[in-house]
């Protein structure tokens, strides 16, 4: 079987140790399998993406000694493909426009005794706008997936194949969790066009990715992405959600963790081998 994986950084900050671990692991797994390692620049959120970060990220990846097998795919070059995917889901009757603010969602979701359930994008949407016709969609509306309807159109619910340490095995998705734990996810936002989840599914199919190797924090997101891929008729990749690199206090590294930016280690004279050692590879 061919093995094609990718590293998909968002150019919204420097590459840090957590990204380096993800990139090296995906690269090494691809090389060990005789497969391909691809890059994708996840710059769909144009309000946060910066070309300077993209340039530095590519420089850091090359400095780490990782080689990639095709020109990087940049999401901002493929907006019509995401639009087409959204239109397909809408034509299937699976989307609706949503005008709720974050605050509306918080208030509607928080029954005093229960509190809100959190999914891959924060609070699971309480369904306030569900059923609004797409013809009513205004420029300020988000577009959401009607999860229950979407699942009704699938002959079988997807099963994830996972090889990561925390969940290795076959993971059949359940209707109950998809509806109540993930819910009516946003597929497009007014300022952004396609959401991360929709664009990642379109991109993984376009790049013929067979193995998605990324942090454990995206495990829940994979369930939503597998549903979207199934609705669009794309084959599901095998997933490998790896452990997260944490700071000295056990918190996972975030973009703001500039202190662990690869460029700073480089400036201090660290070698790529040092970085591998620091992340336990
Ligand atoms: N761009 C995403 C991130 O930096 C990764 C997306 C993915 O690997 O699916 O978190």
């Amino acid at each position: 079987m061919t093995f094609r994986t990718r590293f998909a950084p968002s150019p919204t900050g420097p590459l840090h140790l957590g990204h380096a671990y993800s990139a090296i692991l995906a690269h090494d797994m691809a090389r060990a399998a005789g497969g391909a390692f691809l890059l994708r620049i996840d710059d769909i959120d144009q309000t946060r993406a910066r070309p300077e970060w993209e340039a530095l990220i590519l420089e850091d990846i090359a400095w780490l000694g990782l080689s990639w097998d095709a020109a990087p795919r940049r999401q901002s070059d493929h907006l019509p493909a995401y639009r087409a995917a959204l239109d397909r889901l809408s034509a299937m009757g699976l989307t609706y426009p949503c005008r709720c603010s974050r605050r509306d969602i918080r208030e509607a979701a928080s029954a005093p005794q229960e509190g809100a359930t959190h999914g891959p994008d924060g609070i699971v949407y309480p369904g306030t706008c569900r059923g609004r016709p797409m013809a009513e969609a205004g420029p300020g509306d988000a577009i959401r997936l009607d999860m229950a309807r979407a699942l009704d159109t699938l002959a079988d619910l997807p099963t994830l194949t996972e090889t990561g340490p925390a969940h290795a095995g076959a993971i059949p998705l359940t209707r109950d969790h998809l509806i109540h734990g993930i819910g009516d996810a946003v597929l497009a936002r007014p300022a952004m066009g396609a959401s991360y989840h929709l664009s990642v599914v379109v991109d993984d199919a376009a790049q013929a990715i067979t193995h998605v190797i990324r942090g454990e924090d995206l495990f829940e997101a994979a369930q939503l992405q597998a549903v979207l891929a199934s609705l669009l008729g794309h084959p599901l990749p095998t997933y490998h959600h790896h452990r997260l690199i944490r700071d000295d206090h056990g918190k996972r590294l975030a973009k703001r963790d500039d202190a662990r930016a690869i460029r700073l280690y480089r400036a201090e004279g660290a070698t790529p081998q040092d970085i591998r050692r620091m992340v336990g590879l």
Side-chain angles (χ1 to χ4, degrees), residues 56-91:
L56 178 67
I57 287 170
L58 292 177
E59 196 186 300
D60 283 343
I61 296 172
W63 175 83
L64 284 167
L66 310 183
S67 54
W68 51 94
D69 298 309
R73 176 181 167 100
R74 192 180 296 111
Q75 290 186 322
S76 54
D77 293 336
H78 297 279
L79 303 184
Y82 311 131
R83 182 77 230 178
L86 182 66
D87 289 348
R88 269 183 67 196
L89 296 173
S90 296

Side-chain angles (χ1 to χ4, degrees), residues 142-211:
I143 306 298
R144 289 185 181 273
L145 178 72
D146 184 328
M147 181 61 89
R149 268 190 186 221
L151 299 182
D152 287 342
T153 68
L154 294 176
D156 295 300
L157 295 189
T159 291
L160 301 188
T161 307
E162 170 71 48
T163 61
H167 310 273
I171 304 166
L173 303 189
T174 69
R175 186 175 172 93
D176 186 58
H177 184 68
L178 289 168
I179 291 178
H180 301 294
I182 293 186
D184 292 359
V186 169
L187 300 180
R189 291 192 188 281
M192 200 168 133
S195 70
Y196 153 69
H197 299 292
L198 184 60
S199 55
V200 90
V201 165
V202 170
D203 291 329
D204 283 339
Q207 291 187 297
I209 296 302
T210 61
H211 290 74

Side-chain angles (χ1 to χ4, degrees), residues 6 8-10 19 40 42 196 200 212 214 218 225 255:
R6 72 336 186 250
S10 306
H19 303 117
R40 183 160 75 228
D42 276 3
Y196 153 69
V200 90
V212 168
R214 60 185 181 188
L218 289 170
Q225 292 167 13
K255 278 275 153 54

Side-chain angles (χ1 to χ4, degrees), residues 11-281:
T12 55
L15 206 69
H16 60 54
L17 281 182
H19 303 117
Y21 175 66
S22 206
I24 297 171
L25 187 69
H27 170 270
D28 289 2
M29 284 174 72
R31 294 291 170 253
F37 173 70
L38 305 178
L39 291 183
R40 183 160 75 228
I41 304 298
D42 276 3
D43 65 349
I44 192 86
D45 185 354
Q46 286 284 303
T47 60
R48 295 171 61 225
R50 297 270 176 282
E52 312 80 270
W53 291 127
E54 177 183 325
L56 178 67
I57 287 170
L58 292 177
E59 196 186 300
D60 283 343
I61 296 172
W63 175 83
L64 284 167
L66 310 183
S67 54
W68 51 94
D69 298 309
R73 176 181 167 100
R74 192 180 296 111
Q75 290 186 322
S76 54
D77 293 336
H78 297 279
L79 303 184
Y82 311 131
R83 182 77 230 178
L86 182 66
D87 289 348
R88 269 183 67 196
L89 296 173
S90 296
M92 291 161 77
L94 305 182
T95 62
Y96 61 87
C98 171
R99 58 185 157 212
C100 294
S101 65
R102 279 180 206 279
R103 182 162 168 204
D104 296 335
I105 295 173
R106 224 175 19 245
E107 288 176 0
S110 307
Q113 344 52 327
E114 302 168 35
T117 309
H118 285 253
D121 286 321
I123 294 176
V124 172
Y125 183 61
T128 320
C129 290
R130 189 182 302 129
R132 274 182 75 205
M134 282 300 286
E136 262 184 30
D141 288 348
I143 306 298
R144 289 185 181 273
L145 178 72
D146 184 328
M147 181 61 89
R149 268 190 186 221
L151 299 182
D152 287 342
T153 68
L154 294 176
D156 295 300
L157 295 189
T159 291
L160 301 188
T161 307
E162 170 71 48
T163 61
H167 310 273
I171 304 166
L173 303 189
T174 69
R175 186 175 172 93
D176 186 58
H177 184 68
L178 289 168
I179 291 178
H180 301 294
I182 293 186
D184 292 359
V186 169
L187 300 180
R189 291 192 188 281
M192 200 168 133
S195 70
Y196 153 69
H197 299 292
L198 184 60
S199 55
V200 90
V201 165
V202 170
D203 291 329
D204 283 339
Q207 291 187 297
I209 296 302
T210 61
H211 290 74
V212 168
I213 299 164
R214 60 185 181 188
E216 172 61 24
D217 52 325
L218 289 170
F219 176 71
E220 280 289 306
Q223 306 206 19
L224 169 58
Q225 292 167 13
V227 169
L228 293 175
S230 302
L231 292 169
L232 292 167
H234 300 318
L236 297 190
T238 294
Y239 291 95
H240 184 102
H241 290 93
H242 59 68
R243 68 183 164 86
L244 300 176
I245 303 294
R246 299 182 182 276
D247 68 13
D248 302 336
H249 308 287
K251 248 184 105 248
R252 85 179 159 91
L253 298 185
K255 278 275 153 54
R256 60 188 170 279
D257 285 298
D258 268 21
R260 289 174 178 74
I262 300 304
R263 62 167 172 178
L264 297 186
Y265 291 111
R266 285 172 60 185
E268 286 167 6
T271 66
Q273 256 345 51
D274 294 332
I275 303 289
R276 280 182 178 260
R277 214 168 305 120
M278 276 183 236
V279 297
L281 282 169

